[in-house]
Amino acid sequence: MAKFGRMDEFVIGSSWKNYCQKLTFFFKANSIEDDIQKRNIFLTICGDSTFSIADALLKPATLEDSTFETIKTKLPMGVRTYRDIWPDQPALTPVNLQLQTWTNENITILGSKEVVVSYNNQEAVLTVLIVSGSGPSLLGRSWFSALGIILQTPNAVSVNSVIQKFSGLFEGDVGQFRGPPVSISIEKDTQPIFLKHRTVPFAHKEKIELAIDKLEKAGVLEKVEGSNWATPVVPVIKRNNEVRLCGHYAATVNKVLTKVAYPLPTANEIFAKLTGCTLFTKLDLENAYLQLCVDEKSADILTLNTTKGLYRMKRLPFGISSAPAIFQKFMDTLLSNLEGTAALLDDVIIGGRNRDEHDKRVEIVMERLWKAGLKMRKEKCIFGCNSVQFFVYMVDQQGIPPTH
């Protein structure tokens, strides 16, 4: 067991508060006052498991860039999580992954562990990720084949007939809601904020400018010569190598935006609407927020500054802090009074107690979306399955199956 002087390493499961008090006396006894020196001593004696947890909790910062006080503040969360998950404190393997929640919050990965998993007389050695924080355990798709879990494929006849009848939902550019535009509100007496555009890597410049041209052609952006407001564009290169243009509204509009009080539905509220259902369909809206037009005043406030000049944002953009609440309220209103149907932002789930009821409900929902002028992503829609993944849950006729 590693020691520095007469100071032992920290044992996970013991009192972190007491250990810190002992460290304080140890530093005083050795006349150690420099914070960096305290950090180096602690990381030398803390033990492999504690070192790994500290390293994971501080990312994207490194241990070398962190002070002892920072480590001292953040470490208790990881220690408690690790102790609750595995009281016997097994060693964890470092993982080079980045995970985010559906609200784009980073998830801290403490490490991974090989475990023996049994399910329906199937047994396999699989990798489980240990993360910091609270929440339900989630079953990843990578476990399905090893455990013999098979999801029923969609009913081909139903899929083809629905797609054929509402083919307009899957065709064309960005959808456009046929109803009134939405509006964003800012605080009174707010002074406009104008920021210059950001430089972009030369390798991506042409691709980004093509994305701007595409959005202008689709009626999402409108070129203007001048504006009191300007938010720099932040291009995001997606996994499929496509470009999503986002405004850095956190530096401009979000600072003075009036909050919209409309909460997102909870999982219990959503799945209560699916009680008794045995067949499910999930629909995915294309470029969700961009399908809602904003009024003229809002378009001025949302103006983007790009390498090609200024563009008024004529649709509800990604990056506006009130956008999720505005879009959720829109979807709830659009799909109101429909049984067995719920929406969470750009995802819609539909359930039926039998094939006939399910198909009728799907047809009604898709008809509303089509009449509203919206578009969907065909490749992400799932029709007529006995189970479907919605948000982070796998739903079937039993409700939400346990994932641990």
Side-chain angles (χ1 to χ4, degrees):
M1 184 175 288
K3 294 184 178 181
F4 189 94
R6 297 183 61 183
M7 192 70 201
D8 295 330
E9 70 178 45
F10 176 68
V11 178
I12 296 179
S14 60
S15 171
W16 173 248
K17 180 179 179 181
N18 290 344
Y19 187 77
C20 286
Q21 289 179 336
K22 291 177 65 177
L23 269 177
T24 300
F25 287 122
F26 176 78
F27 292 146
K28 288 182 178 180
N30 288 274
S31 301
I32 299 170
E33 297 181 356
D34 181 67
D35 189 89
I36 300 302
Q37 189 177 2
K38 291 179 180 180
R39 177 203 65 193
N40 294 340
I41 292 172
F42 170 71
L43 294 177
T44 301
I45 66 176
C46 66
D48 291 341
S49 296
T50 305
F51 185 94
S52 297
I53 293 175
D55 183 50
L57 287 171
L58 289 166
K59 288 181 178 178
T62 65
L63 291 173
E64 188 175 358
D65 295 331
S66 303
T67 65
F68 173 69
E69 287 301 317
T70 300
I71 298 173
K72 180 179 174 182
T73 301
K74 287 195 173 185
L75 191 57
M77 176 178 63
V79 170
R80 287 195 299 270
T81 304
Y82 185 61
R83 182 181 59 202
D84 293 341
I85 292 174
W86 249 307
D88 58 347
Q89 306 164 31
L92 299 181
T93 302
V95 177
N96 186 24
L97 286 176
Q98 289 185 336
L99 299 179
Q100 286 186 322
T101 67
W102 69 280
T103 54
N104 296 323
E105 297 172 343
N106 290 326
I107 298 175
T108 300
I109 303 177
L110 302 181
S112 67
K113 179 69 179 175
E114 297 293 314
V115 294
V116 178
V117 182
S118 298
Y119 176 78
N120 282 353
N121 298 321
Q122 295 267 61
E123 188 172 284
V125 177
L126 301 170
T127 301
V128 63
L129 294 178
I130 311 300
V131 303
S132 178
S134 59
S137 300
L138 303 180
L139 179 63
R141 294 180 181 178
S142 59
W143 283 26
F144 284 13
S145 59
L147 298 177
I149 299 174
I150 301 176
L151 300 182
Q152 288 194 346
T153 57
N155 181 289
V157 176
S158 296
V159 171
N160 291 335
S161 61
V162 169
I163 292 176
Q164 184 176 3
K165 184 172 183 179
F166 299 102
S167 59
L169 282 168
F170 309 101
E171 300 171 350
D173 294 320
V174 182
Q176 181 176 339
F177 177 53
R178 295 190 175 100
V182 298
S183 176
I184 64 167
S185 300
I186 58 176
E187 298 171 357
K188 293 183 178 180
D189 301 323
T190 295
Q191 294 297 317
I193 302 174
F194 188 103
L195 300 181
K196 67 178 183 179
H197 70 79
R198 293 184 175 184
T199 57
V200 297
F202 181 77
H204 297 314
K205 188 174 186 294
E206 182 179 1
K207 184 180 297 184
I208 293 169
E209 292 186 350
L210 286 175
I212 294 173
D213 293 340
K214 183 178 179 180
L215 290 178
E216 184 180 15
K217 183 179 178 181
V220 175
L221 298 178
E222 180 184 41
K223 187 73 179 289
V224 292
E225 294 302 321
S227 174
N228 292 325
W229 289 85
T231 297
V233 153
V234 181
V236 177
I237 309 299
K238 300 166 67 175
R239 290 184 179 179
N240 59 5
N241 213 30
E242 292 183 356
V243 177
R244 170 181 284 180
L245 298 179
C246 300
H248 186 40
Y249 290 111
T252 56
V253 181
N254 285 349
K255 291 183 176 181
V256 294
L257 200 61
T258 302
K259 293 183 178 180
V260 178
Y262 194 89
L264 299 180
T266 65
N268 288 338
E269 290 172 339
I270 291 174
F271 298 125
K273 298 181 179 181
L274 304 173
T275 302
C277 294
T278 61
L279 287 174
F280 304 92
T281 282
K282 185 180 77 169
L283 306 177
D284 186 279
L285 296 180
E286 177 85 26
N287 295 314
Y289 301 166
L290 295 183
Q291 303 200 48
L292 297 186
C293 295
V294 298
D295 59 26
E296 293 297 314
K297 182 179 179 181
S298 299
D300 291 336
I301 295 173
L302 298 172
T303 295
L304 294 176
N305 204 346
T306 77
T307 55
K308 295 191 66 175
L310 297 170
Y311 289 83
R312 293 172 75 239
M313 172 57 75
K314 301 175 67 176
R315 306 290 182 88
L316 183 66
F318 297 97
I320 288 293
S321 58
S322 60
I326 292 173
F327 194 81
Q328 184 65 47
K329 183 178 181 180
F330 162 75
M331 290 299 296
D332 287 346
T333 302
L334 182 64
L335 301 177
S336 62
N337 303 320
L338 294 184
E339 295 184 357
T341 303
L344 180 57
L345 297 176
D346 58 347
D347 286 333
V348 179
I349 188 169
I350 308 161
R353 290 167 293 186
N354 51 59
R355 171 64 63 182
D356 184 59
E357 183 178 70
H358 166 270
D359 291 353
K360 287 180 179 178
R361 288 177 175 177
V362 170
E363 184 174 2
I364 292 172
V365 171
M366 294 186 69
E367 184 176 15
R368 285 201 184 184
L369 296 175
W370 177 72
K371 288 183 177 179
L374 306 184
K375 302 289 183 181
M376 297 192 302
R377 280 182 284 199
K378 182 178 177 181
E379 67 275 10
K380 288 195 174 184
C381 294
I382 301 174
F383 295 86
C385 289
N386 295 108
S387 61
V388 66
Q389 184 172 346
F390 189 72
F391 185 31
V392 295
Y393 300 98
M394 187 62 66
V395 187
D396 61 19
Q397 60 183 335
Q398 303 299 324
I400 306 174
T403 55
H404 55 274

